[in-house]
Amino acid sequence: REIEEEDNGGAAKDGVAKKAKAEESDDEAPLKAKPQAVLSSCVLVTGTEFKDTDMRDNLKKLGASWCKGMGWVLPESSRAAVQKLIDGGEPDAADVAAVADSAAAKDPPPSDKAGAKLNIAPHKKAIVVTGETMKVKETLKALSGSWNKALVGWVFQGSKKEQVLRVLRADATNTVEESSSAPALVKKDKKDKSKKSVEEDFIDDDDSD
């Protein structure tokens, strides 16, 4: 009985020690970073007709982007100009410039004397930036672009075209051209799976002269 009691007591002590150690490790464990979100107000325009191309073009001038299931989403800075448009007027150059200035304030910093020759072309509903993109790689990443190996360029949402042009051209040493045709896909070369012929070596065992 004494042995059993000692064994039970030892097991209990081990359990307490393990629990204390686990609590210490929990205290020392680094806290996980909580996700953060930046909330801002915007302008939502609904009830537009697909055939009303003038309304659509004017909304795009004010920085609108189409959100399926919702409507046209615009930055808060365009609220006054959008109200003018809905009331029957048209945005003037000052309205467009004000929206552009507000958008430019949120742009990532441009490249510094990169001297890159770039081309922007449409691809389906997106745009592709090709050319000397390595010189402005960090800028393209900051603009939320993604590299497409088949297109040999950086792909962006079509709605980001004006911002991409604005930021790339902010570096005066860059040359940015626009194309109307999409870039050609680069086809992968098929590997030659043909087996090379193997030459057999013959050993001359003839000892005769």
Side-chain angles (χ1 to χ4, degrees):
R1 289 183 180 177
E2 291 179 358
I3 294 174
E4 291 177 357
E5 289 175 358
E6 288 178 2
D7 290 342
N8 293 335
K13 290 180 180 178
D14 290 342
V16 173
K18 288 180 180 179
K19 185 177 180 181
K21 189 174 181 180
E23 291 176 354
E24 290 177 2
S25 62
D26 290 341
D27 293 338
E28 295 174 359
L31 297 175
K32 292 183 179 180
K34 294 182 179 180
Q36 296 181 353
V38 179
L39 303 177
S40 59
S41 59
C42 63
V43 178
L44 179 64
V45 178
T46 59
T48 58
E49 295 182 1
F50 181 77
K51 295 180 180 179
D52 192 350
T53 56
D54 291 336
M55 173 65 76
R56 184 168 66 246
D57 292 341
N58 283 323
L59 286 172
K60 287 183 177 181
K61 287 180 182 179
L62 297 174
S65 59
W66 177 255
C67 182
K68 188 175 181 180
M70 293 181 62
W72 292 96
V73 180
L74 299 95
E76 176 62 31
S77 58
S78 65
R79 183 176 293 275
V82 171
Q83 188 62 54
K84 182 195 296 186
L85 180 63
I86 293 174
D87 292 340
E90 290 189 5
D92 52 28
D95 294 327
V96 176
V99 174
D101 291 341
S102 177
K106 300 177 182 179
D107 288 343
S111 56
D112 183 21
K113 298 179 181 179
K117 294 181 179 180
L118 306 165
N119 184 74
I120 294 181
H123 177 66
K124 298 181 180 180
K125 293 184 179 181
I127 59 169
V128 184
V129 179
T130 57
E132 298 176 335
T133 56
M134 278 297 295
K135 295 182 178 180
V136 290
K137 180 180 178 180
E138 295 305 318
T139 302
L140 296 173
K141 288 171 65 177
L143 286 166
S144 302
S146 58
W147 173 255
N148 188 298
K149 188 176 181 180
L151 295 171
V152 195
W154 289 78
V155 180
F156 297 85
Q157 294 178 356
S159 59
K160 292 179 69 69
K161 179 180 178 180
E162 296 302 324
Q163 184 187 28
V164 172
L165 280 169
R166 182 171 62 246
V167 174
L168 292 177
R169 286 175 174 170
D171 182 349
T173 64
N174 291 335
T175 302
V176 186
E177 297 181 351
E178 295 183 66
S179 298
S180 57
S181 57
L185 292 172
V186 177
K187 296 182 179 180
K188 296 181 180 179
D189 294 332
K190 293 182 179 180
K191 295 182 179 179
D192 184 10
K193 297 182 180 179
S194 61
K195 296 181 180 179
K196 295 181 179 179
S197 59
V198 180
E199 296 182 356
E200 295 180 359
D201 295 332
F202 295 95
I203 301 174
D204 187 4
D205 292 329
D206 189 1
D207 294 332
S208 61
D209 293 331

